[in-house]
Amino acid sequence: MSVTLAPEHEHYRPRIEAAARQSVTRYSEWLGPRTGATFHIDDGSTGAGPDGEKPRITVSLPWIAPPPAMEVESLVAFEIARRWWPGWAAGRQSQPMADGLAWYLQSRVVPELYELTFQRPAHSADAVRYFGGAIAWSIPSLALGRWTAGLGRAEFLDGTSAGRWPGRPRRIPADADPMTVRAALAFGTLERLVGWPALEGALATLGTRAVSGAMTTAEAGRILSAATGYPLSWFLAPALDPTRHFIYALGAVSTRACDAGPCRRTEVEVINRGTAAFSGTDTPPTGAYGSGDALELRVTFADGQSVSVRWDGRAASKTFAFDSAAPAQAIELDPSRVLLLDRNHLDDAWLARPRTGVPLAKWIAWWLIWVQDAAINYSGLI
C-alpha cells in the first residue's frame, strides 16, 4: 500500500493507513482476496501515484474532519470496498447496489477503529457542519451506533432524488448515487433478517461473482438467496426501487373487558401506508389468509407477560385481538428494528403510560452549539 497526499492532508496519513489496513483485512476475510496485491491511495491532488502509476483509490478528503466523527475512516473504507469489484461497480445499473454494499461494509469496519481509538463501543460521534459544510464540529459525548450513523439512516430520510446530500459529517462521495444509502440499509436489513454468519457466506459468493464483471440486481438477489438458503427477492426488488417505500405504523389501540370471563381484550390496528410490503415471502396470500411472517407485533402486559404475532405486512391495515388477565402496557411493531428502511420508527410503539423518550443530553448539546454559532454570527455583524 502506498499513500500520496497534499501537504495540507498529511496529518490524515495515520488515520488513512489504519483505516486501509483494517479494511483490507476485513474485506479479505469476508469477500475473499482482492484482485491485485497492491494498491495506491490518493487524495486527488496529483494525477499519478509512485512511478507514474495511476492511483487505484482516490479519496476526497474534507478540509477539517475531527477524529471522533470518523469521516476520514468511513471514506477510506468505502472507497476500498468499491474497488473490490471494479467490474460490478462500473455498471451504470449495478453501481447503486455495489456502492450500497460498500457503504454497508464500511459500517462494519469503522466501529472497530472507533473502539480501538476511543476505547468505547460506537461507530462515530455526532457532529455538525458550519460555513457551507467546510468546518465540522464534533460532539464526543454523543456516541452514535452503527445502525443509524454507520449506515446513514439520517441521510436516507433527508436525501433527495436529485442527488443532493444534506450537510452532515457523514458525507458520501459526490459520484455516489442517492440510492447508495438506501441499498446499504437494505443490506443492513438482510443482516438482521438472516444473521451475519449467513450473510457473510453469501457476500463471499457474491464477491467472487462480482469480480468477473457487472451483474443485475435480479442476479445478485438470486445469488444471495441461494447462498443464504432464504428467498430474498421479495425484499430486494422493492428495497432497491426508489419509487417504492416501506411505511408502517401502529393505528388505533383499544382495551376493554372481555365479553365473557374475567379478562381484558386489547385490539391493535397495524397500518401499511407505503407502497412496498415487508412480507417475508413471494408466495401470494390465499383469500383472507396472509402469506409471510416478516413483521413482528409484540404486546407486553402489566403483569410482565408478553405475546408476539407475525404479519405479512401486505394489507393496508389489519387488527389483532389479545385476551389477557392484565391490561396491555406496551405495544411494539417490529420491536427488533429489522426493517431499517421503515420511513418512521416513532409511530411503531405505544405505551399505556407514555414516558419521555427525548435524549436530553443530545438536545442540550445541539442547543449549546446553536447558541455558540448564533453568537459567532452576531459578533460578526457588530
mmCIF file with all atom_site columns, all heavy atoms in Angstrom, residues 48-67:
data_model
loop_
_atom_site.group_PDB
_atom_site.id
_atom_site.type_symbol
_atom_site.label_atom_id
_atom_site.label_alt_id
_atom_site.label_comp_id
_atom_site.label_asym_id
_atom_site.label_entity_id
_atom_site.label_seq_id
_atom_site.pdbx_PDB_ins_code
_atom_site.Cartn_x
_atom_site.Cartn_y
_atom_site.Cartn_z
_atom_site.occupancy
_atom_site.B_iso_or_equiv
_atom_site.pdbx_formal_charge
_atom_site.auth_seq_id
_atom_site.auth_comp_id
_atom_site.auth_asym_id
_atom_site.auth_atom_id
_atom_site.pdbx_PDB_model_num
ATOM 1   N N   . ALA A 1 48 ? -1.059  11.056 -10.561 1.00 0.00 ? 48 ALA A N   1
ATOM 2   C CA  . ALA A 1 48 ? -0.341  9.793  -10.671 1.00 0.00 ? 48 ALA A CA  1
ATOM 3   C C   . ALA A 1 48 ? 0.230   9.381  -9.331  1.00 0.00 ? 48 ALA A C   1
ATOM 4   O O   . ALA A 1 48 ? 0.500   10.208 -8.463  1.00 0.00 ? 48 ALA A O   1
ATOM 5   C CB  . ALA A 1 48 ? 0.774   9.905  -11.693 1.00 0.00 ? 48 ALA A CB  1
ATOM 6   N N   . GLY A 1 49 ? 0.408   8.097  -9.172  1.00 0.00 ? 49 GLY A N   1
ATOM 7   C CA  . GLY A 1 49 ? 0.983   7.550  -7.972  1.00 0.00 ? 49 GLY A CA  1
ATOM 8   C C   . GLY A 1 49 ? 2.463   7.310  -8.160  1.00 0.00 ? 49 GLY A C   1
ATOM 9   O O   . GLY A 1 49 ? 3.101   7.876  -9.056  1.00 0.00 ? 49 GLY A O   1
ATOM 10  N N   . PRO A 1 50 ? 3.088   6.483  -7.355  1.00 0.00 ? 50 PRO A N   1
ATOM 11  C CA  . PRO A 1 50 ? 4.509   6.197  -7.469  1.00 0.00 ? 50 PRO A CA  1
ATOM 12  C C   . PRO A 1 50 ? 4.841   5.651  -8.854  1.00 0.00 ? 50 PRO A C   1
ATOM 13  O O   . PRO A 1 50 ? 4.096   4.868  -9.436  1.00 0.00 ? 50 PRO A O   1
ATOM 14  C CB  . PRO A 1 50 ? 4.722   5.144  -6.377  1.00 0.00 ? 50 PRO A CB  1
ATOM 15  C CG  . PRO A 1 50 ? 3.583   5.331  -5.421  1.00 0.00 ? 50 PRO A CG  1
ATOM 16  C CD  . PRO A 1 50 ? 2.436   5.768  -6.257  1.00 0.00 ? 50 PRO A CD  1
ATOM 17  N N   . ASP A 1 51 ? 5.974   6.103  -9.353  1.00 0.00 ? 51 ASP A N   1
ATOM 18  C CA  . ASP A 1 51 ? 6.468   5.635  -10.652 1.00 0.00 ? 51 ASP A CA  1
ATOM 19  C C   . ASP A 1 51 ? 5.471   5.904  -11.779 1.00 0.00 ? 51 ASP A C   1
ATOM 20  O O   . ASP A 1 51 ? 5.388   5.163  -12.754 1.00 0.00 ? 51 ASP A O   1
ATOM 21  C CB  . ASP A 1 51 ? 6.786   4.135  -10.609 1.00 0.00 ? 51 ASP A CB  1
ATOM 22  C CG  . ASP A 1 51 ? 7.814   3.821  -9.532  1.00 0.00 ? 51 ASP A CG  1
ATOM 23  O OD1 . ASP A 1 51 ? 8.724   4.655  -9.338  1.00 0.00 ? 51 ASP A OD1 1
ATOM 24  O OD2 . ASP A 1 51 ? 7.690   2.774  -8.890  1.00 0.00 ? 51 ASP A OD2 1
ATOM 25  N N   . GLY A 1 52 ? 4.673   6.964  -11.645 1.00 0.00 ? 52 GLY A N   1
ATOM 26  C CA  . GLY A 1 52 ? 3.743   7.316  -12.705 1.00 0.00 ? 52 GLY A CA  1
ATOM 27  C C   . GLY A 1 52 ? 2.502   6.463  -12.761 1.00 0.00 ? 52 GLY A C   1
ATOM 28  O O   . GLY A 1 52 ? 1.682   6.620  -13.666 1.00 0.00 ? 52 GLY A O   1
ATOM 29  N N   . GLU A 1 53 ? 2.313   5.563  -11.806 1.00 0.00 ? 53 GLU A N   1
ATOM 30  C CA  . GLU A 1 53 ? 1.128   4.691  -11.828 1.00 0.00 ? 53 GLU A CA  1
ATOM 31  C C   . GLU A 1 53 ? -0.107  5.492  -11.453 1.00 0.00 ? 53 GLU A C   1
ATOM 32  O O   . GLU A 1 53 ? -0.084  6.301  -10.533 1.00 0.00 ? 53 GLU A O   1
ATOM 33  C CB  . GLU A 1 53 ? 1.313   3.546  -10.829 1.00 0.00 ? 53 GLU A CB  1
ATOM 34  C CG  . GLU A 1 53 ? 0.126   2.594  -10.776 1.00 0.00 ? 53 GLU A CG  1
ATOM 35  C CD  . GLU A 1 53 ? 0.291   1.563  -9.664  1.00 0.00 ? 53 GLU A CD  1
ATOM 36  O OE1 . GLU A 1 53 ? 1.355   1.581  -9.027  1.00 0.00 ? 53 GLU A OE1 1
ATOM 37  O OE2 . GLU A 1 53 ? -0.636  0.791  -9.436  1.00 0.00 ? 53 GLU A OE2 1
ATOM 38  N N   . LYS A 1 54 ? -1.201  5.267  -12.161 1.00 0.00 ? 54 LYS A N   1
ATOM 39  C CA  . LYS A 1 54 ? -2.453  5.946  -11.843 1.00 0.00 ? 54 LYS A CA  1
ATOM 40  C C   . LYS A 1 54 ? -2.950  5.495  -10.469 1.00 0.00 ? 54 LYS A C   1
ATOM 41  O O   . LYS A 1 54 ? -2.841  4.320  -10.122 1.00 0.00 ? 54 LYS A O   1
ATOM 42  C CB  . LYS A 1 54 ? -3.509  5.616  -12.891 1.00 0.00 ? 54 LYS A CB  1
ATOM 43  C CG  . LYS A 1 54 ? -3.244  6.228  -14.254 1.00 0.00 ? 54 LYS A CG  1
ATOM 44  C CD  . LYS A 1 54 ? -3.398  7.730  -14.226 1.00 0.00 ? 54 LYS A CD  1
ATOM 45  C CE  . LYS A 1 54 ? -3.238  8.300  -15.621 1.00 0.00 ? 54 LYS A CE  1
ATOM 46  N NZ  . LYS A 1 54 ? -3.392  9.769  -15.618 1.00 0.00 ? 54 LYS A NZ  1
ATOM 47  N N   . PRO A 1 55 ? -3.500  6.405  -9.670  1.00 0.00 ? 55 PRO A N   1
ATOM 48  C CA  . PRO A 1 55 ? -3.984  5.995  -8.353  1.00 0.00 ? 55 PRO A CA  1
ATOM 49  C C   . PRO A 1 55 ? -5.132  5.009  -8.461  1.00 0.00 ? 55 PRO A C   1
ATOM 50  O O   . PRO A 1 55 ? -6.046  5.205  -9.255  1.00 0.00 ? 55 PRO A O   1
ATOM 51  C CB  . PRO A 1 55 ? -4.422  7.307  -7.697  1.00 0.00 ? 55 PRO A CB  1
ATOM 52  C CG  . PRO A 1 55 ? -4.663  8.238  -8.849  1.00 0.00 ? 55 PRO A CG  1
ATOM 53  C CD  . PRO A 1 55 ? -3.691  7.844  -9.908  1.00 0.00 ? 55 PRO A CD  1
ATOM 54  N N   . ARG A 1 56 ? -5.084  3.964  -7.692  1.00 0.00 ? 56 ARG A N   1
ATOM 55  C CA  . ARG A 1 56 ? -6.145  2.961  -7.698  1.00 0.00 ? 56 ARG A CA  1
ATOM 56  C C   . ARG A 1 56 ? -7.355  3.459  -6.909  1.00 0.00 ? 56 ARG A C   1
ATOM 57  O O   . ARG A 1 56 ? -8.481  3.161  -7.241  1.00 0.00 ? 56 ARG A O   1
ATOM 58  C CB  . ARG A 1 56 ? -5.636  1.653  -7.081  1.00 0.00 ? 56 ARG A CB  1
ATOM 59  C CG  . ARG A 1 56 ? -4.494  0.988  -7.850  1.00 0.00 ? 56 ARG A CG  1
ATOM 60  C CD  . ARG A 1 56 ? -4.974  0.430  -9.153  1.00 0.00 ? 56 ARG A CD  1
ATOM 61  N NE  . ARG A 1 56 ? -6.005  -0.557 -8.973  1.00 0.00 ? 56 ARG A NE  1
ATOM 62  C CZ  . ARG A 1 56 ? -5.769  -1.852 -8.753  1.00 0.00 ? 56 ARG A CZ  1
ATOM 63  N NH1 . ARG A 1 56 ? -4.517  -2.285 -8.695  1.00 0.00 ? 56 ARG A NH1 1
ATOM 64  N NH2 . ARG A 1 56 ? -6.760  -2.703 -8.611  1.00 0.00 ? 56 ARG A NH2 1
ATOM 65  N N   . ILE A 1 57 ? -7.117  4.194  -5.834  1.00 0.00 ? 57 ILE A N   1
ATOM 66  C CA  . ILE A 1 57 ? -8.197  4.635  -4.954  1.00 0.00 ? 57 ILE A CA  1
ATOM 67  C C   . ILE A 1 57 ? -8.012  6.122  -4.666  1.00 0.00 ? 57 ILE A C   1
ATOM 68  O O   . ILE A 1 57 ? -6.976  6.531  -4.148  1.00 0.00 ? 57 ILE A O   1
ATOM 69  C CB  . ILE A 1 57 ? -8.200  3.833  -3.637  1.00 0.00 ? 57 ILE A CB  1
ATOM 70  C CG1 . ILE A 1 57 ? -8.418  2.354  -3.921  1.00 0.00 ? 57 ILE A CG1 1
ATOM 71  C CG2 . ILE A 1 57 ? -9.260  4.370  -2.688  1.00 0.00 ? 57 ILE A CG2 1
ATOM 72  C CD1 . ILE A 1 57 ? -8.234  1.476  -2.715  1.00 0.00 ? 57 ILE A CD1 1
ATOM 73  N N   . THR A 1 58 ? -9.006  6.910  -5.011  1.00 0.00 ? 58 THR A N   1
ATOM 74  C CA  . THR A 1 58 ? -8.968  8.344  -4.742  1.00 0.00 ? 58 THR A CA  1
ATOM 75  C C   . THR A 1 58 ? -10.017 8.675  -3.694  1.00 0.00 ? 58 THR A C   1
ATOM 76  O O   . THR A 1 58 ? -11.189 8.371  -3.866  1.00 0.00 ? 58 THR A O   1
ATOM 77  C CB  . THR A 1 58 ? -9.236  9.161  -6.018  1.00 0.00 ? 58 THR A CB  1
ATOM 78  O OG1 . THR A 1 58 ? -8.224  8.854  -6.986  1.00 0.00 ? 58 THR A OG1 1
ATOM 79  C CG2 . THR A 1 58 ? -9.210  10.647 -5.718  1.00 0.00 ? 58 THR A CG2 1
ATOM 80  N N   . VAL A 1 59 ? -9.564  9.303  -2.600  1.00 0.00 ? 59 VAL A N   1
ATOM 81  C CA  . VAL A 1 59 ? -10.446 9.665  -1.502  1.00 0.00 ? 59 VAL A CA  1
ATOM 82  C C   . VAL A 1 59 ? -10.543 11.178 -1.437  1.00 0.00 ? 59 VAL A C   1
ATOM 83  O O   . VAL A 1 59 ? -9.523  11.864 -1.335  1.00 0.00 ? 59 VAL A O   1
ATOM 84  C CB  . VAL A 1 59 ? -9.923  9.101  -0.160  1.00 0.00 ? 59 VAL A CB  1
ATOM 85  C CG1 . VAL A 1 59 ? -10.856 9.494  0.973   1.00 0.00 ? 59 VAL A CG1 1
ATOM 86  C CG2 . VAL A 1 59 ? -9.779  7.593  -0.233  1.00 0.00 ? 59 VAL A CG2 1
ATOM 87  N N   . SER A 1 60 ? -11.758 11.698 -1.517  1.00 0.00 ? 60 SER A N   1
ATOM 88  C CA  . SER A 1 60 ? -11.986 13.135 -1.428  1.00 0.00 ? 60 SER A CA  1
ATOM 89  C C   . SER A 1 60 ? -12.008 13.542 0.041   1.00 0.00 ? 60 SER A C   1
ATOM 90  O O   . SER A 1 60 ? -13.013 13.360 0.732   1.00 0.00 ? 60 SER A O   1
ATOM 91  C CB  . SER A 1 60 ? -13.304 13.505 -2.120  1.00 0.00 ? 60 SER A CB  1
ATOM 92  O OG  . SER A 1 60 ? -13.551 14.889 -2.010  1.00 0.00 ? 60 SER A OG  1
ATOM 93  N N   . LEU A 1 61 ? -10.902 14.072 0.519   1.00 0.00 ? 61 LEU A N   1
ATOM 94  C CA  . LEU A 1 61 ? -10.765 14.386 1.943   1.00 0.00 ? 61 LEU A CA  1
ATOM 95  C C   . LEU A 1 61 ? -11.320 15.774 2.261   1.00 0.00 ? 61 LEU A C   1
ATOM 96  O O   . LEU A 1 61 ? -11.121 16.716 1.490   1.00 0.00 ? 61 LEU A O   1
ATOM 97  C CB  . LEU A 1 61 ? -9.296  14.321 2.353   1.00 0.00 ? 61 LEU A CB  1
ATOM 98  C CG  . LEU A 1 61 ? -8.645  12.941 2.250   1.00 0.00 ? 61 LEU A CG  1
ATOM 99  C CD1 . LEU A 1 61 ? -7.148  13.046 2.481   1.00 0.00 ? 61 LEU A CD1 1
ATOM 100 C CD2 . LEU A 1 61 ? -9.275  11.971 3.237   1.00 0.00 ? 61 LEU A CD2 1
ATOM 101 N N   . PRO A 1 62 ? -12.000 15.913 3.375   1.00 0.00 ? 62 PRO A N   1
ATOM 102 C CA  . PRO A 1 62 ? -12.507 17.229 3.789   1.00 0.00 ? 62 PRO A CA  1
ATOM 103 C C   . PRO A 1 62 ? -11.380 18.097 4.331   1.00 0.00 ? 62 PRO A C   1
ATOM 104 O O   . PRO A 1 62 ? -10.305 17.608 4.689   1.00 0.00 ? 62 PRO A O   1
ATOM 105 C CB  . PRO A 1 62 ? -13.521 16.869 4.884   1.00 0.00 ? 62 PRO A CB  1
ATOM 106 C CG  . PRO A 1 62 ? -13.000 15.595 5.455   1.00 0.00 ? 62 PRO A CG  1
ATOM 107 C CD  . PRO A 1 62 ? -12.373 14.845 4.327   1.00 0.00 ? 62 PRO A CD  1
ATOM 108 N N   . TRP A 1 63 ? -11.645 19.391 4.384   1.00 0.00 ? 63 TRP A N   1
ATOM 109 C CA  . TRP A 1 63 ? -10.654 20.326 4.918   1.00 0.00 ? 63 TRP A CA  1
ATOM 110 C C   . TRP A 1 63 ? -10.440 20.074 6.415   1.00 0.00 ? 63 TRP A C   1
ATOM 111 O O   . TRP A 1 63 ? -9.312  19.967 6.888   1.00 0.00 ? 63 TRP A O   1
ATOM 112 C CB  . TRP A 1 63 ? -11.133 21.751 4.666   1.00 0.00 ? 63 TRP A CB  1
ATOM 113 C CG  . TRP A 1 63 ? -10.207 22.804 5.218   1.00 0.00 ? 63 TRP A CG  1
ATOM 114 C CD1 . TRP A 1 63 ? -8.841  22.751 5.259   1.00 0.00 ? 63 TRP A CD1 1
ATOM 115 C CD2 . TRP A 1 63 ? -10.575 24.053 5.806   1.00 0.00 ? 63 TRP A CD2 1
ATOM 116 N NE1 . TRP A 1 63 ? -8.335  23.892 5.835   1.00 0.00 ? 63 TRP A NE1 1
ATOM 117 C CE2 . TRP A 1 63 ? -9.377  24.712 6.175   1.00 0.00 ? 63 TRP A CE2 1
ATOM 118 C CE3 . TRP A 1 63 ? -11.797 24.684 6.042   1.00 0.00 ? 63 TRP A CE3 1
ATOM 119 C CZ2 . TRP A 1 63 ? -9.369  25.968 6.777   1.00 0.00 ? 63 TRP A CZ2 1
ATOM 120 C CZ3 . TRP A 1 63 ? -11.798 25.940 6.627   1.00 0.00 ? 63 TRP A CZ3 1
ATOM 121 C CH2 . TRP A 1 63 ? -10.603 26.562 6.991   1.00 0.00 ? 63 TRP A CH2 1
ATOM 122 N N   . ILE A 1 64 ? -11.532 19.950 7.144   1.00 0.00 ? 64 ILE A N   1
ATOM 123 C CA  . ILE A 1 64 ? -11.459 19.673 8.573   1.00 0.00 ? 64 ILE A CA  1
ATOM 124 C C   . ILE A 1 64 ? -12.342 18.461 8.861   1.00 0.00 ? 64 ILE A C   1
ATOM 125 O O   . ILE A 1 64 ? -13.512 18.435 8.480   1.00 0.00 ? 64 ILE A O   1
ATOM 126 C CB  . ILE A 1 64 ? -11.933 20.879 9.419   1.00 0.00 ? 64 ILE A CB  1
ATOM 127 C CG1 . ILE A 1 64 ? -10.990 22.078 9.198   1.00 0.00 ? 64 ILE A CG1 1
ATOM 128 C CG2 . ILE A 1 64 ? -11.990 20.512 10.893  1.00 0.00 ? 64 ILE A CG2 1
ATOM 129 C CD1 . ILE A 1 64 ? -11.418 23.318 9.944   1.00 0.00 ? 64 ILE A CD1 1
ATOM 130 N N   . ALA A 1 65 ? -11.783 17.455 9.542   1.00 0.00 ? 65 ALA A N   1
ATOM 131 C CA  . ALA A 1 65 ? -12.530 16.247 9.894   1.00 0.00 ? 65 ALA A CA  1
ATOM 132 C C   . ALA A 1 65 ? -12.106 15.805 11.285  1.00 0.00 ? 65 ALA A C   1
ATOM 133 O O   . ALA A 1 65 ? -11.075 15.149 11.452  1.00 0.00 ? 65 ALA A O   1
ATOM 134 C CB  . ALA A 1 65 ? -12.280 15.130 8.880   1.00 0.00 ? 65 ALA A CB  1
ATOM 135 N N   . PRO A 1 66 ? -12.857 16.191 12.331  1.00 0.00 ? 66 PRO A N   1
ATOM 136 C CA  . PRO A 1 66 ? -12.476 15.803 13.692  1.00 0.00 ? 66 PRO A CA  1
ATOM 137 C C   . PRO A 1 66 ? -12.454 14.291 13.845  1.00 0.00 ? 66 PRO A C   1
ATOM 138 O O   . PRO A 1 66 ? -13.336 13.598 13.332  1.00 0.00 ? 66 PRO A O   1
ATOM 139 C CB  . PRO A 1 66 ? -13.568 16.439 14.558  1.00 0.00 ? 66 PRO A CB  1
ATOM 140 C CG  . PRO A 1 66 ? -14.712 16.696 13.631  1.00 0.00 ? 66 PRO A CG  1
ATOM 141 C CD  . PRO A 1 66 ? -14.117 16.953 12.289  1.00 0.00 ? 66 PRO A CD  1
ATOM 142 N N   . PRO A 1 67 ? -11.473 13.732 14.536  1.00 0.00 ? 67 PRO A N   1
ATOM 143 C CA  . PRO A 1 67 ? -11.352 12.274 14.674  1.00 0.00 ? 67 PRO A CA  1
ATOM 144 C C   . PRO A 1 67 ? -12.599 11.571 15.188  1.00 0.00 ? 67 PRO A C   1
ATOM 145 O O   . PRO A 1 67 ? -12.946 10.501 14.668  1.00 0.00 ? 67 PRO A O   1
ATOM 146 C CB  . PRO A 1 67 ? -10.165 12.112 15.625  1.00 0.00 ? 67 PRO A CB  1
ATOM 147 C CG  . PRO A 1 67 ? -9.341  13.335 15.396  1.00 0.00 ? 67 PRO A CG  1
ATOM 148 C CD  . PRO A 1 67 ? -10.325 14.437 15.154  1.00 0.00 ? 67 PRO A CD  1
#
